[in-house]
Amino acid sequence: MATKTFEKLIYELESNGTLMITLNRPDKLNAFDDDLSFELIDALKQAERDPKVRCILLTGAGRGFCAGQDLQSRSISQSNGTSPHLGESIRKRYLPIIFKLRTLEKPVVCAVNGVAAGAGASVAFACDYRLAAEDASFIQAFIKVGLVPDSGACYLLPRLIGMGRAMDLMMTGRKVGAAEALQIGLVNEVYPQESLMEKAKQFAGELSLGPTKAYGLLKRALNKALEVDLETYLHYEADLQEIAGRTIDFKEGVSAFVEKRPPAFSGQ
Amino acid sequence: MTSAMSTSTDIDLKSFQFILTSVEDHIGIIQLNRPDKLNAINMPLMEELVKCLTWMDHNEDIRCIVLTGNERAFAAGADIEQMASATPVDMILRDQFVYWDRIRKIHKPLVAAISGYALGGGCELAMTCDMIIASETAKFGQPEINLGVIPGAGGTQRLTRAVGKARAMELVLTGNLFTAQQALEWGLINKVVPVELYLEEAKNLAKTIASKPPIAVRMAKESVLKTFDTSLESGLEFERKAFYLLFASQDKNEGMKAFLEKRQPEFQGR
């Protein structure tokens, strides 16, 4: 399969099926300029199509995870006193990233190695897991420059931590440290800086050996549950279980259970 | 009426180049099969499709027909190469839409099972069917405007009847694609299911219809389609005559008798 070359991110597929995507503009705290956002969209599409990818581990190079939109980037800078078209920038660049993270049918783990601000925080919220370093922090900085939180933040954050807390974080734009993030359920685990990547790779490696198809169906189920009534959802769930029941991994899972051994899932 | 046309014995289901066909549980299944071209519709494909549909229409063992593509595309449009250098006279002489007129005359119910792209002629082919089951991944659209033409196989008429003037106008004038969920909400299609199940869902619908008395099914299809051609007055007249006519069928006797005897009917198609 044709592989793209990336310049502003690192795309490394390990032999165990874990794909590491590292945002790589460390001198800018990995802020999104046009190129990085388009490369991330392409990387996620490629990961979705490549059957060898069983789990995605997203992180940032250097001391930050992602500082969000690069305010000096040409697509949003204000020139000649005219307003930039932020709506179009969001539709073309951030909407596809968030939508793909939520709908691509493989687990996505985010290793938050440092500050995650603005759209950088939103990208972390859209992942399936957030593992944070002790020095990591989240800032919904939009309000500080007079903008509304974007990249799905107002949809995702209240679902992660509740409306009251989400409102607080987004209205004040205050910084949330790793300890508070753990306490309010914004991250799943916190590790010392030096062991974050080792722990994250270990965890992603475990997910890479899991029933990938079932993980994908699980994401489909949770996404559907957010948008429909109970009865519609229950019918949908029956369809998904019908599909899961036909997978090779289900056969393997049942055999392993009966034979009292660990299952060897192929992801199919 | 059937005597002049080719009938059940003189067709080899395996001989087609652009379609795959099979028969199971009284349903005929036709799969468009130009996977390297996203099932783009060309004249030879339409010729085979119409030949097969005509045969299935006359085969009494088949009571409902499912038309499908593959997971990536039902049909991504017409073969543009065929038309790029054509003159109006070429198009008149080619008379490609004659095949579409023939599909409209098929008596047995047609269920389209759609996944991936149903664009241009693909969308029109789907709308020529009587019911549509779609995968969540299906994408519909009439993008002909982008090539300097308009839908030519019924798109402006059938889409408008299905989704209303304002929506159809926007879709045909912009060429914008729309999702299965939108198609469902607008009344263009019957059901949306996960991609793994769309063909099975369509077959299940076809099997349910195949279990009904075939002559009544045929009258019902004709009556519903009549809506689009006539005033209410003549549509009601048509329906009433079809209703009375069914009292001449053995299946009507069996259906009503079974109902009164509280048992399942056994329909013979007579």
Side-chain angles (χ1 to χ4, degrees), chain A residues 173-208:
Chain A
R174 72 182 174 84
K175 182 192 261 195
V176 177
E180 184 186 354
L182 182 64
Q183 190 229 326
I184 63 178
L186 186 52
V187 300
N188 302 82
E189 298 285 350
V190 175
Y191 298 106
Q193 196 76 27
E194 59 279 8
S195 60
L196 171 69
M197 285 321 293
E198 185 198 329
K199 295 285 189 187
K201 281 187 185 183
Q202 189 187 339
F203 181 61
E206 286 166 23
L207 290 174
S208 295

Side-chain angles (χ1 to χ4, degrees), chain A residues 113-180:
Chain A
N113 54 303
V115 67
S122 305
V123 164
F125 302 158
C127 295
D128 302 322
Y129 267 92
R130 279 153 300 284
L131 309 179
E134 280 170 352
D135 306 345
S137 59
F138 297 88
I139 312 172
Q140 280 288 288
F142 302 94
I143 206 75
K144 302 219 167 184
V145 292
L147 290 179
V148 62
D150 66 30
S151 303
C154 290
Y155 183 92
L156 298 165
L157 195 54
R159 288 171 162 86
L160 286 170
I161 62 172
M163 182 68 94
R165 286 186 176 118
M167 189 69 89
D168 168 36
L169 299 190
M170 295 197 281
M171 209 166 258
T172 61
R174 72 182 174 84
K175 182 192 261 195
V176 177
E180 184 186 354

